């Protein structure tokens, strides 16, 4: 880290000292930034720390290519994932030529196509939930931090929501509401936002009066710059990390809800439905479970590790 | 200290009350058909249905219903099951099944503490070496892949390879092993990853560096300072884990047909047994709330660094 310090204008003669002591300095935006200036950039350091490990690069590439392929699959293939065959010979075909890459299921539906459509559903579900969690969490968290009057109420809500096992809330809400996409969103987001809100609240309380922000204000740094340079980086890294970690969790929840009979309706193509169907046929046709599992595992593991590595990389303490 | 316990206990009671209220009111949104067995519903006339609903306390003003429900709970009346065990009091079903969940859950906690702590210590001691990578791989697999998949594969493959029964039999001890080990897998990962992180954090602190540089034996520093401090945050969650063993593992109990409460909840959901689902959800929530309460108390007891707010002031008031 290089540090350029402007030379202090020491006066040469004592009489000049008197004159130089109390000269009001005009505010100069450029000059105020130059003092203590370092070439440190939060984002460059985060990216550099992240890319330092080769495994994160590989997983990031896997994560992006699998996600892009899942969303682009309908463009490159026109196989209908719901197309049922009435021919007995089309049912339960093992993977191979003429049967698709992953074979067909008990109704002659193409498992390769179903896997990618399912991945798309699950990724969409995860993204929507992450959006709700993060959006609601940041809004309520900012409110919680700034408005002192609601602190008691919010703390009570926090205690209630975090004291109950999350699975119980999930099961109860899915049981009461009609099974479907938005039921899972509601069941997940109703508890997911509170931990983010709590985090933001603590950040608001500490960041706002942190010494570096007080210093920035004293130097006359405009509010917009304080927000973009000092506060936003914290929030953006939370958004990315939460999204990355919500996706494997959501997929797990969807599989679990499908197992207890509260998942997405069977007619919808999702990883949870694929896994639960494949599980039921496992004894006779093991590929119907293992094939989608391979794709699912790559997706969940890559998101999980990338999310964690990014969380580490976005922590300034890990920056060199 | 006593003031703190009383205050936390009071808070927990408030939370319990809010949860019971919320769950009960949410359940009012369910169609009332969920309170009949299929035969009863078709056989009864509209008036008979109304009389029946009144008799089990779920018609009329919801707040009145809630009051009756609470007074029922107070004397141990949890209502009766409808479709799973028709007309059987739920309290007696729970009493019969909790033992199985408790036995499996406690053994699984024991296993996960022993192996999880051992793995965590090994990973922290060999940071960035082979043991650490293998341990991380295990943790990532267990935490990132939906548990249903690997639990199912373990049930099928391992029982096939070892020739063990695929489901639970109360009189065949060898059939107890797989479900217990399966239940411990996430716990092992949890203990290992957190202990590793806390130990690594602790090792980087100045007082540890000082202790080592002044010549204290490494082993003494490790057991006396690093491990002891790193274990403190883990202890907080122990009461919740122990209490929730009564709830059992939903997936594993249902997969291995263990007659515990977790499997019962899955079955009750599939059979649409409203009172049973409600009672189990309430039971699990209350256990969770008191687990957190006991965890907070335990934390204060074992960690001398925690200063209670207001404790110094209580003296002034007296």
């Amino acid at each position: 880290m290089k540090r350029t310090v402007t030379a202090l204008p020491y006066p040469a003669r004592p009489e000049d000292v008197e004159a130089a002591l109390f000269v009001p300095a005009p505010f100069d935006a450029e000059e105020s930034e130059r003092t203590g200036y370092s070439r440190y950039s939060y984002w460059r350091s985060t990216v550099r720390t992240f890319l330092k490990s080769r495994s994160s690069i590989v997983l990031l590439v896997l994560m992006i290519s699998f996600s892009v392929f899942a969303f682009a699959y309908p463009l490159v293939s026109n196989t209908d994932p719901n197309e049922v065959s009435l021919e007995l010979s089309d049912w339960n075909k093992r993977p191979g030529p003429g049967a698709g890459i992953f074979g067909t299921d008990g109704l002659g539906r193409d498992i390769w196509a179903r896997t990618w459509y399912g991945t798309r559903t699950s990724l969409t579900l995860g993204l929507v939930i992450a959006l709700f969690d993060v959006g609601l969490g940041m809004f309520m968290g900012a409110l919680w931090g700034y408005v002192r009057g609601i602190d008691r109420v919010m703390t009570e809500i926090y205690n209630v929501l975090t004291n109950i096992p999350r699975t119980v809330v999930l099961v109860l809400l899915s049981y009461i509401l009609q099974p479907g996409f938005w039921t899972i969103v509601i069941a997940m987001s109703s508890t997911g936002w509170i931990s983010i809100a709590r985090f933001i609240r603590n950040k608001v309380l500490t960041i706002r009066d942190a010494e570096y922000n007080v210093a920035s204000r004293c130097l006359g740094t405009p509010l917009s710059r304080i927000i973009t340079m000092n506060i936003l980086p914290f929030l953006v890294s939370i958004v990315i990390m939460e999204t990355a970690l919500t996706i494997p969790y959501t997929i797990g929840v969807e599989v679990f809800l499908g197992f207890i009979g509260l998942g997405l309706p069977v007619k919808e193509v999702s990883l949870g439905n694929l896994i639960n169907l494949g599980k039921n046929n496992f004894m006779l046709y093991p590929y119907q479970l293992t094939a989608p599992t391979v794709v699912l595992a790559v997706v969940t593991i890559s998101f999980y590790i990338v999310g964690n590595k990014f969380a580490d990389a976005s922590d300034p303490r890990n920056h060199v | 200290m006593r003031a703190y316990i009383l205050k936390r206990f009071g808070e927990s009671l408030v939370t319990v009350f809010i949860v019971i209220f919320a769950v009960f009111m949410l359940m009012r949104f369910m169609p009332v058909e969920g309170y009949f067995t299929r035969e009863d519903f078709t056989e009864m006339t509209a008036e008979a249905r109304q009389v029946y609903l009144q008799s089990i306390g779920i018609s009329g003003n919801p707040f009145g219903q809630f009051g009756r429900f609470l007074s029922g709970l107070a004397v141990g009346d949890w209502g009766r099951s409808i479709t799973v065990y028709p007309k059987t009091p739920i309290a007696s079903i729970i009493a019969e099944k909790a033992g199985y969940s408790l036995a499996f859950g406690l053994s699984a906690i024991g296993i996960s503490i022993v192996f999880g702590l051992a793995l965590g210590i090994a990973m922290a001691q060999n940071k960035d070496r082979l043991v650490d990578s293998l341990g991380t791989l295990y943790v990532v697999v267990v935490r990132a892949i939906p548990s249903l998949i690997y639990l199912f594969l373990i049930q099928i493959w391992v029982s096939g390879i070892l020739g063990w029964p695929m489901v639970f039999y109360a009189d065949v001890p060898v059939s107890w092993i797989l479900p217990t080990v399966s239940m411990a897998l996430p716990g092992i990962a949890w203990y290992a990853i957190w202990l590793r992180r806390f130990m690594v954090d602790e090792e980087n602190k100045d007082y540890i560096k000082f202790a080592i540089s002044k010549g204290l034996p490494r082993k003494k520093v490790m057991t006396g300072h690093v491990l002891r401090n790193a274990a403190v945050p883990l202890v907080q969650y122990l009461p919740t884990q122990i209490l929730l063993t009564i709830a059992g593992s939903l997936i594993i109990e249902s997969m291995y047909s263990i007659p515990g409460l977790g499997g019962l909840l899955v079955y009750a959901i599939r059979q649409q047994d409203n009172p049973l689902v409600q009672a189990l959800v309430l039971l699990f929530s209350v256990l969770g709330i008191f687990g957190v309460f006991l965890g907070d108390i335990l934390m204060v007891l074992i960690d001398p660094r925690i200063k209670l707010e207001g404790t110094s002031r209580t003296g002034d008031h007296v």
Side-chain angles (χ1 to χ4, degrees), chain A residues 152 156 159-160 162-165 167-168 171-173 175-177 248 251-252 255-256 258-262 275-276 278-280 282-283 289-290 293 296-297 300-301 304-305 308 312, chain B residues 11 14-15 18-19 23 26-27 29-30 139-141 143-146 148-149 152-153 156-157 166 244 250-251 254-255 265-266 268-270 272-274 277 281 284-285 288-289 292:
Chain A
R152 269 207 66 83
E156 195 52 48
N159 285 341
V160 172
T162 48
N163 278 4
I164 311 167
T167 318
V168 172
V171 167
L172 179 71
L173 288 179
Y175 181 68
I176 291 167
L177 303 166
I251 293 179
V255 171
F256 166 72
F259 171 72
I260 60 174
L262 298 174
I275 297 296
N276 281 297
K279 191 178 132 293
N280 297 341
F282 184 78
M283 287 304 193
L289 175 66
T290 48
T293 297
L296 178 144
T300 52
I301 290 180
Y304 182 84
I305 296 182
N308 273 312
D312 288 345
Chain B
E11 282 172 6
V14 171
T15 312
I18 294 174
V19 168
V23 170
L26 282 173
M27 290 299 284
F29 289 107
M30 300 288 291
V139 171
V140 166
V141 167
R143 290 173 75 104
I145 296 181
L148 180 69
I149 298 177
F152 176 72
L153 293 178
I156 300 286
W157 284 339
M166 256 177 57
L244 282 180
L250 275 64
I251 295 180
S254 141
M255 257 183 192
L265 178 59
V266 176
I269 287 169
R270 289 182 180 155
Q272 298 264 320
D273 192 333
N274 283 359
V277 171
V281 163
F284 297 173
S285 312
I289 293 165
V292 175

Side-chain angles (χ1 to χ4, degrees), chain B:
Chain B
M1 183 69 203
R2 200 199 293 158
Y4 174 74
I5 295 179
L6 281 177
K7 181 172 155 273
R8 276 294 287 113
F9 187 75
E11 282 172 6
S12 302
L13 281 186
V14 171
T15 312
V16 166
F17 181 80
I18 294 174
V19 168
I20 295 179
F21 182 74
V23 170
F24 188 83
M25 287 305 158
L26 282 173
M27 290 299 284
R28 292 315 100 206
F29 289 107
M30 300 288 291
V32 286
E33 286 77 15
Y35 291 93
F36 297 88
T37 61
R38 207 162 288 155
E39 303 82 63
D40 281 358
F41 190 74
T42 41
E43 277 170 22
M44 282 182 188
T45 62
E47 291 82 42
R49 284 178 202 159
Q50 207 48 49
V51 171
Y52 166 74
L53 284 179
Q54 209 148 18
S55 75
I56 59 170
I58 51 159
S59 68
N61 179 3
F63 293 96
Q65 291 179 37
F66 180 64
R68 283 193 294 279
F69 178 69
L70 268 192
S71 50
L73 280 186
V75 294
D77 175 14
W78 295 60
R80 284 166 194 271
S81 164
I82 288 166
T83 46
V84 178
Y85 296 99
K87 318 262 190 298
T88 316
I90 290 172
S92 73
I93 302 175
I94 289 177
E96 188 194 314
K97 294 194 167 255
Y100 288 98
S101 296
L102 200 61
F104 273 103
L106 289 181
S107 334
I109 287 185
I111 294 174
S112 53
I113 289 178
V114 171
F115 285 87
L117 293 187
L119 181 62
I121 293 171
M123 283 165 77
Q125 299 273 33
N126 300 288
K127 190 167 170 275
D128 298 326
R129 271 182 269 172
L130 184 67
V131 180
D132 193 19
S133 314
L134 288 179
T136 309
L137 181 74
Y138 166 75
V139 171
V140 166
V141 167
V142 167
R143 290 173 75 104
I145 296 181
S147 56
L148 180 69
I149 298 177
Y150 62 78
L151 292 176
F152 176 72
L153 293 178
I154 288 174
Q155 185 189 21
I156 300 286
W157 284 339
V158 178
S159 68
I161 292 168
L162 298 175
W164 288 349
M166 256 177 57
V167 291
F168 165 79
Y169 295 103
D171 53 347
V172 185
V174 79
S175 72
W176 307 349
I177 299 173
L178 271 186
T180 317
V181 173
S182 300
M183 252 181 235
L185 290 178
I188 294 175
W190 190 85
Y191 277 109
I193 196 71
W194 285 109
L195 187 68
R196 176 193 179 279
R197 176 171 300 182
F198 292 141
M199 277 182 77
V200 169
D201 282 354
E202 203 66 29
E203 269 176 75
N204 286 329
K205 285 190 178 160
D206 287 343
Y207 82 99
I208 297 292
K209 287 180 186 159
F210 174 68
I212 288 178
S213 58
K214 81 171 178 184
L216 222 60
R218 201 177 149 74
K219 207 174 164 188
K220 203 170 172 185
V221 176
M222 276 304 179
T223 51
H225 297 297
V226 176
L227 191 62
R228 208 175 144 202
N229 279 307
V232 166
L234 298 178
V235 175
Q236 191 178 13
Y237 299 99
L238 198 59
T240 311
Q241 287 175 332
I242 292 177
L243 281 180
L244 282 180
T245 57
I246 300 172
S249 160
L250 275 64
I251 295 180
I252 293 170
E253 288 194 357
S254 141
M255 257 183 192
Y256 287 91
S257 313
I258 297 171
L261 292 178
L264 180 65
L265 178 59
V266 176
Y267 197 59
I269 287 169
R270 289 182 180 155
Q271 299 285 316
Q272 298 264 320
D273 192 333
N274 283 359
L276 192 53
V277 171
Q278 175 178 290
L280 290 174
V281 163
L282 280 182
L283 176 69
F284 297 173
S285 312
V286 171
L287 290 174
I289 293 165
F290 279 103
V292 175
F293 163 68
L294 291 177
D296 287 352
I297 304 293
L298 198 61
M299 195 73 174
V300 176
L301 288 179
I302 63 161
D303 192 343
R305 287 170 302 185
I306 297 180
K307 292 269 187 320
L308 292 175
E309 44 170 326
T311 17
S312 55
R313 247 184 296 138
T314 34
D316 300 340
H317 288 298
V318 175

